[in-house]
Amino acid sequence: MDKGVKNPKQHHKLIEYANGRSLEEINGTVKVPKNLSFWKTLFMYSGPGALVAVGYMDPGNWSTSITGGQNFQYMLMSIILISSLIAMLLQYMAAKLGIVSQMDLAQAIRARTSKSLGIVLWILTELAIMATDIAEVIGAAIALYLLFHIPLVIAVFITVFDVLLLLLLTKIGFRKVEAIVVALILVILFVFVYQVALSNPDWKGVLFGLVPSAKVMASSPVINGMSPINGALGIIGATVMPHNLYLHSAISQTRAIDHNDEEDVARTVKFSTWDSNIQLTFAFFVNALLLIMGVAVFKSGAVKDPSFFGLFDALSNTSMLSNGVLIAVAKSGILSTLFAVALLASGQNSTITGTLTGQVIMEGFIHMRMPIWARRLITRLISVIPVLVCVMMTSGKSAVEEHTALNNLMNNSQVFLAFALPFSMLPLLMMTDSRVEMGDRFKNSLWVKIAGWVSVISLTGLNMKSLPDAITGFFGDNPSAGTVNMAHIIAYILIVAVLALLAWTVYDLYRGNKRYAKHLQDVAAAKN
């Protein structure tokens, strides 16, 4: 694909050919005047980072952070900090790739790899997006049930109609979409700041928890079925998500840039990085507050049900709360209500970003475009099916069994993120390390390259390490020894398949980069 060139489209009823600019409707639509002050310029560039930060505080993060705090006090704070720093590094590279190359990550991968590999990577990434969508469906449906007492089955169907919200948002302009997302993030942040402030946590313990310790990688002690390393892997898996890298490489291009002016490109990279890091700092505080809630808001070990239902009930159950101020406020019902409001805000935020990401990967990997409402409707209906099956299968059972089943479905669906993450991180690192792709000025510096490779290898290794336990989780809470062995065999087969696919991806990217370098040499020779 020629970068920045709009190709003719072949129109169909719902599907059309797309091989032009990333998110063409909003690409380059936000103009940023030059010669503004630092703060005014930062304000103009602020927004895309908020859409990315949403993925780091979606409903899938909540139970892992709160349960980690309940079981291990502040020990896992360092994991939240390290995950956030890795996220900042990866998102910086994703934004830079989009701004400098004028291609999003999906387009850049597809331009350097074969059609067949592009289809495989598209399917893999779609599964990862649907896995996050399942968490959003569960979170939003439970929030509707808790706030308005809407039966779960009906609440699940109502989540399908968030497509109407998206249709409205497409009409009002991208800056307003960014503002809505920021407002929802502030709602979530306010709720948890308020609840943690009332709990008067041990701030000295919080600070010590931020210091990395070998204890977080230990397989013992096991508390409520969780070891420190399982808790750490759960937080890492719920924090660093592949779809955010695709999204950021696309929406970083919403600002109008003069690509013939290297200084304008550098300015955009600089302020996009500031925007991303500030918003991801907010995400870090939200995740840290969730863990602090697990330690300080509830009595140690009080929360036996880590599902959203259990947390909602615990926030209104005075026997579970840690101090008199919290108990007095909880009697009014405000703590549990605010929790449900934050959960609904989180689900709606993730809906907006998930839809944009789906459009990015479909256009980038297979050059197809659908109207946003059709794309959202199809993916949401597919994601709703397992949730509905889960609700209907447990409808005749106790409330605890129903809650546990939904919580397990949400946690187990996240296993697809472990598959997809290396296939976004590794190409991103290879392309931003390349002088051919980024030029001398914008290719990764030595420290970014080292930190990037350490992060990619570590995250891939940890995800593969957690896969056997993740696959075992699909077979229920008390699997037999034979079932565990079978789950581990399946996991090892999948690990081999992932590594083989990674090797294919690296080989294709290497060859594609060589072809692109030769093409640039031929163009330069022709000009001379």
Side-chain angles (χ1 to χ4, degrees), residues 256-325:
I257 307 167
D258 179 4
H259 281 90
N260 294 317
D261 181 357
E262 195 174 83
E263 292 305 317
D264 196 31
V265 176
R267 178 181 73 145
T268 305
V269 171
K270 173 186 172 182
F271 282 99
S272 294
T273 305
W274 271 98
D275 169 45
S276 174
N277 288 345
I278 289 169
Q279 303 292 352
L280 288 172
T281 301
F282 281 125
F284 162 73
F285 281 119
V286 167
N287 287 320
L289 288 168
L290 283 164
L291 188 139
I292 295 169
M293 271 185 69
V295 181
V297 172
F298 307 111
K299 291 178 181 176
S300 180
V303 180
K304 302 300 182 186
D305 179 3
S307 71
F308 297 135
F309 297 99
L311 295 170
F312 180 86
D313 290 339
L315 285 167
S316 55
N317 186 338
T318 55
S319 67
M320 289 190 178
L321 300 176
S322 62
N323 66 44
V325 176

Side-chain angles (χ1 to χ4, degrees), residues 242-262:
H243 62 278
N244 276 329
L245 304 179
Y246 294 101
L247 177 65
H248 205 181
S249 62
I251 59 176
S252 63
Q253 300 178 57
T254 53
R255 273 51 182 174
I257 307 167
D258 179 4
H259 281 90
N260 294 317
D261 181 357
E262 195 174 83

Side-chain angles (χ1 to χ4, degrees), residues 194-195 198 315-316 318 321 323-336 338:
Y194 174 68
Q195 296 192 348
L198 291 178
L315 285 167
S316 55
T318 55
L321 300 176
N323 66 44
V325 176
L326 281 169
I327 290 169
V329 175
K331 287 178 180 177
S332 69
I334 193 169
L335 290 183
S336 54
L338 284 174

Side-chain angles (χ1 to χ4, degrees), residues 407-427:
N407 204 52
N408 287 343
L409 173 63
M410 183 176 70
N411 292 335
N412 291 338
S413 67
Q414 305 299 296
V415 72
F416 291 108
L417 302 179
F419 293 144
L421 188 58
F423 298 98
S424 54
M425 290 192 302
L426 194 58

Side-chain angles (χ1 to χ4, degrees), residues 217-230:
M217 290 291 118
S219 55
S220 63
V222 176
I223 301 173
N224 296 323
M226 177 188 284
S227 65
I229 189 169
N230 287 340

